[in-house]
Amino acid sequence: VITPPPTMDCTLSGNATVKKFSYAIACLCRIGKDLYLDFNEIDGLYLKTLNDAKSAFCCFHFQPSFFERCSSPMILPNNNNNSTS
C-alpha cells in the first residue's frame, strides 16, 4: 500500500504578505541551495535551508494566521483489504 505524501493548502493575500514571504525565500537562497518545507496545520509553515558546508542554517516560521487560508486535508489510509477468505 502506497501512502500519498501529505499535502498543504496555503494562500497568501495582499502585497505586504507576498513581499515578506518572497524576502524570506530570497534570504534562504543566499544560504543554501535546497529549500525544506515543514508544514502542519497547528504550527504553520517552516521554510528551512542548510548550506553545503553544514555550517549555517536558517529557518523562517510562518504561523497559520500569516496566511489567508492555511489547511492540510486529512488523508485517510487506503484500506484495500476487502478480500474475503
Side-chain angles (χ1 to χ4, degrees), residues 6-82:
T7 60
M8 67 180 190
D9 181 16
C10 297
T11 303
L12 295 171
S13 69
N15 234 5
T17 304
V18 173
K19 201 177 240 186
K20 288 176 187 177
F21 194 76
S22 65
Y23 284 155
I25 292 174
C27 178
L28 292 166
C29 288
R30 291 175 176 236
I31 296 170
K33 28 182 203 181
D34 296 324
L35 178 64
Y36 301 96
L37 303 164
D38 184 11
F39 173 78
N40 81 42
E41 207 170 81
I42 309 242
D43 293 333
L45 177 66
Y46 290 88
L47 302 177
K48 305 174 186 180
T49 194
L50 180 67
N51 71 345
D52 288 338
K54 296 184 178 163
S55 61
F57 171 79
C58 186
C59 176
F60 285 91
H61 175 218
F62 296 95
Q63 295 182 355
S65 59
F66 179 78
F67 301 95
E68 180 181 324
R69 185 179 72 229
C70 184
S71 64
S72 176
M74 184 170 219
I75 298 174
L76 301 174
N78 188 0
N79 197 359
N80 289 336
N81 296 339
N82 296 337

